[in-house]
Amino acid sequence: AFGGKLDALVCSAGGSSSLEDPKAMAEFGGVSKEAFMNMYALNCVSKVVAVAAAEAALLAAGGAVVHVSSVSSVIPNDTWMGYSSAMAALDHVVKSQAIGYAGRGVRVNGVNPAVIVTALTETMAKGVGTSVAEAFSPMHPMKRVGTVQETSEAIAFLADNSKSAFITGTCLMVDGGGAVSTWWTADKMK
């Protein structure tokens, strides 16, 4: 936002706790009920609340909203059920908000990254004695993981009214082909 106007709102809060409570696997699809609800609150509800809070500024500026979702939203996985279903709900929010705001001059889109090299994913990989690239590159059809820059460039494109003015309600996969493969569940299908 420059000069007091909101050109774009990027809603990128997110996370998962599905691996934190292994005892809950039999309880509620891999997570406790509380953790499941918290995943929805963080990954979906918080973004709806953010857009509602920024609505007046977005309408005044003809701004754009970009929600950061995940390729997990379109790939069922029993060990990430809470996270992936919350992201699927977010993808539906993207489409619903796009319909609601389209006639009022605000575009709403989503970006759905797969595994991206970040401090968090590197820490997770080190916990099992490897790197993000070693652990996840073979699972992506492009045989590599993504970068923060690749994801941020997709976000910037969708946020820019001069470059994507006729795009609304889309969820752009930034996933190295992950959404069109079975890489998340291939080991379970053997």
Side-chain angles (χ1 to χ4, degrees):
F2 297 97
K5 74 177 203 172
L6 183 60
D7 297 312
L9 174 66
V10 178
C11 300
S12 63
S16 175
S17 61
S18 65
L19 301 178
E20 294 178 9
D21 188 5
K23 284 188 355 180
M25 289 297 284
E27 220 181 286
F28 198 70
V31 294
S32 67
K33 289 178 186 176
E34 180 181 12
F36 191 87
M37 297 306 290
N38 287 341
M39 278 188 273
Y40 271 77
L42 174 61
N43 293 302
C44 187
V45 177
S46 67
K47 296 171 184 183
V48 172
V49 170
V51 172
E55 180 178 73
L58 287 164
L59 291 169
V65 176
V66 181
H67 291 295
V68 179
S69 182
S70 169
V71 69
S72 295
S73 68
V74 297
I75 301 172
N77 186 305
D78 60 336
T79 58
W80 287 77
M81 184 183 72
Y83 176 77
S84 60
S85 64
M87 290 304 191
L90 178 60
D91 288 359
H92 196 82
V93 165
V94 166
K95 293 171 186 333
S96 297
Q97 287 180 337
I99 292 167
Y101 286 109
R104 300 190 286 161
V106 174
R107 296 177 310 102
V108 181
N109 292 291
V111 170
N112 298 57
V115 178
I116 304 298
V117 179
T118 65
L120 176 62
T121 57
E122 284 290 0
T123 299
M124 290 168 57
K126 284 179 186 170
V128 293
T130 189
S131 71
V132 173
E134 284 178 38
F136 296 104
S137 291
M139 298 175 172
H140 292 77
M142 292 182 73
K143 302 300 181 203
R144 69 177 183 85
V145 292
T147 67
V148 170
Q149 181 173 342
E150 290 166 326
T151 304
S152 64
E153 287 173 356
I155 292 167
F157 168 73
L158 290 172
D160 188 333
N161 278 329
S162 69
K163 294 180 180 172
S164 60
F166 200 58
I167 300 172
T168 194
T170 195
C171 294
L172 179 61
M173 298 295 164
V174 182
D175 67 349
V180 295
S181 74
T182 58
W183 60 280
W184 285 109
T185 55
D187 63 321
K188 295 180 181 187
M189 296 181 185
K190 291 180 184 176

